[in-house]
Amino acid sequence: MRGTCAAGFLAAAVLLSGCGGLPQAREMGEMALMRTMGVDEGGTEAVAVTVSTGKRAAGTQGGTAAPLVLQAESPSLSGACRDIQGLSSYHVFYGYVDQILLGESMALRGVEPVLEYLSRDVELGLGAQIWLVRDGSAQSAIESGGESGVEEQLSILQKSRELGIGGLTRTAGEMFQDILEQGGAYLPALRCVPSGQEGEASLLEWGYGVLREDRLVGYLEGDGARGLELLAGRGDGDLLEIQLSGGPAVVEIGQTATQFIPVYRQKELREIRLVCQVDGALTEFPSPMKTEEFNRLREAVERQETEKIQRALDQLRSWRVDCVGIGRQLSMAAPEGWRWVAEDWERLFVNVPITVTVQASISRTYGDLG
């Protein structure tokens, strides 16, 4: 872990960023208010920046115009953003950017320079949602929205996740803090999938990208992605289909809570006990359901969720990256013991046994049981 100095730097950066206001010498009609910014690896030692306004108001009758999309490439982010100013007759303003897309090649190169730039820029800041474009570029993702733009798609994805319908959201600040303090981070991944309209595509959720330090090392998807969400204490919204003797049953996962308990002996960390509490509700079930069958249902839920957590843990340990902050939680659970092992956490994270226990509580409505 990088310690309190890194956290202090980040806190100062967050306070300093976003403090600028609208340029007073400009009228709103002369400005292009950007909503989305994409950052890709450019040519040799270069960075490519793509920005989009999303749909814009046009005329006095409440009409709309297609998004204004601009792109520039430069050896630096500052240079690319400056060059974009010269591509339009409007004054380009970045203070409304609330979605950041990172191309996969940029994530492989390293994203810390991008996050540092966001933290220092007076218009941008670290509060925007951040996404990784899997198997593609941020520019192609932004342009895939065509005349409709991608802003509405991204906004819907963000709102759904905040309501517990999708996966985990990440702001640029949260991601930066994880890199500085934990030596790694995760962020939601999207993939461009062609839609019915020619030349347009939809952005679909596609697991999570995992970064060691600030570089992409791989993806968690499917059960591995759900396991990461459970490790982070956010597995809500998942639907588990269980085949019982009387027919299929479906359990919708509600709240989850994950606790990490360290076991120390003679100032050594010998074991980590992970306890995950899962609350679910029956949405479909064979009726009537006997008590014995209901118990088998609960055991099946516990088994499935345990396997997902284990899959995510095994992959993260193979990458040697604690992107969910297990070490941080151990330090809070037992501060004295953590002082004995903090300097050796990277090795311990990979080698210390982690036992996983899932405890499921399934709510039943009147008439569930026969």
Side-chain angles (χ1 to χ4, degrees):
M1 291 197 180
R2 311 241 184 137
T4 55
C5 289
F9 167 79
L10 180 63
V14 171
L15 289 173
L16 288 172
S17 62
C19 60
L22 289 172
Q24 296 181 0
R26 300 280 180 174
E27 297 291 337
M28 290 295 290
E30 300 175 346
M31 301 177 69
L33 308 179
M34 295 301 166
R35 290 283 314 284
T36 304
M37 173 178 285
V39 185
D40 292 302
E41 182 180 36
T44 305
E45 300 299 322
V47 177
V49 174
T50 306
V51 291
S52 169
T53 60
K55 273 193 170 182
R56 299 170 291 155
T60 59
Q61 304 301 317
T64 58
L68 174 64
V69 178
L70 303 172
Q71 194 268 347
E73 186 173 314
S74 175
S76 67
L77 272 165
S78 300
C81 290
R82 176 205 60 206
D83 292 346
I84 284 174
Q85 291 284 359
L87 300 178
S88 172
S89 59
Y90 295 99
H91 175 76
V92 177
F93 181 63
Y94 299 111
Y96 283 86
V97 170
D98 58 0
Q99 305 287 346
I100 302 288
L101 298 178
L102 296 174
E104 185 175 81
S105 62
M106 191 69 218
L108 289 167
R109 179 200 283 188
V111 302
E112 192 161 343
V114 178
L115 298 173
E116 287 180 347
Y117 177 77
L118 294 175
S119 72
R120 294 190 176 104
D121 188 89
V122 295
E123 292 181 4
L124 286 165
L126 290 165
Q129 297 294 314
I130 193 161
W131 311 84
L132 175 61
V133 181
R134 185 170 180 176
D135 301 327
S137 68
Q139 179 182 355
S140 63
I142 290 174
E143 293 175 345
S144 70
E147 293 188 359
S148 300
V150 296
E151 285 68 26
E152 186 174 352
Q153 291 185 55
L154 293 172
S155 180
I156 290 172
L157 286 171
Q158 178 187 338
K159 294 298 182 185
S160 297
R161 286 170 173 248
E162 291 173 352
L163 293 172
I165 301 172
L168 303 172
T169 59
R170 298 257 84 187
T171 66
E174 290 169 338
M175 181 180 165
F176 200 10
Q177 183 171 358
D178 286 351
I179 290 173
L180 293 173
E181 295 185 348
Q182 299 169 180
Y186 66 88
L187 72 162
L190 303 174
R191 178 174 274 170
C192 285
V193 177
S195 62
Q197 297 186 17
E198 184 177 354
E200 294 190 9
S202 296
L203 295 179
L204 302 182
E205 299 173 277
W206 219 277
Y208 298 91
V210 176
L211 282 67
R212 175 175 167 80
E213 296 297 337
D214 71 328
R215 295 171 185 256
L216 178 68
V217 293
Y219 293 94
L220 286 172
E221 58 184 73
D223 285 350
R226 298 302 298 177
L228 182 139
E229 291 165 7
L230 290 166
L231 285 171
R234 267 286 313 275
D236 51 308
D238 198 11
L239 291 177
L240 306 184
E241 299 179 353
I242 312 293
Q243 187 63 43
L244 302 173
S245 59
V250 178
V251 176
E252 182 176 7
I253 301 301
Q255 291 186 337
T256 60
T258 303
Q259 182 182 15
F260 297 89
I261 304 168
V263 178
Y264 293 100
R265 296 190 186 95
Q266 298 179 344
K267 296 187 177 182
E268 292 185 5
L269 180 62
R270 300 297 183 88
E271 180 188 1
I272 300 170
R273 295 173 183 169
L274 187 162
V275 180
C276 181
Q277 178 67 46
V278 174
D279 295 333
L282 276 168
T283 59
E284 298 179 37
F285 55 90
S287 181
M289 182 188 294
K290 297 185 179 298
T291 301
E292 295 80 5
E293 200 162 43
F294 184 84
N295 291 335
R296 285 195 292 272
L297 170 71
R298 187 182 65 252
E299 291 169 359
V301 169
E302 292 174 346
R303 184 169 57 254
Q304 286 191 21
E305 299 297 76
T306 298
E307 290 172 354
K308 293 173 185 177
I309 292 173
Q310 195 63 61
R311 177 172 296 189
L313 271 176
D314 290 345
Q315 189 63 76
L316 294 178
R317 296 175 94 182
S318 73
W319 289 329
R320 306 178 69 87
V321 54
D322 174 22
C323 64
V324 292
I326 296 175
R328 181 182 66 246
Q329 296 186 61
L330 295 178
S331 70
M332 293 187 292
E336 182 62 32
W338 180 250
R339 283 194 283 270
W340 302 332
V341 302
E343 295 299 322
D344 200 25
W345 171 237
E346 183 175 319
R347 181 187 66 83
L348 294 173
F349 172 67
V350 175
N351 295 298
V352 170
I354 301 178
T355 58
V356 179
T357 302
V358 174
Q359 300 170 344
S361 175
I362 312 299
S363 64
R364 302 171 292 186
T365 60
Y366 178 78
D368 286 353
L369 300 183

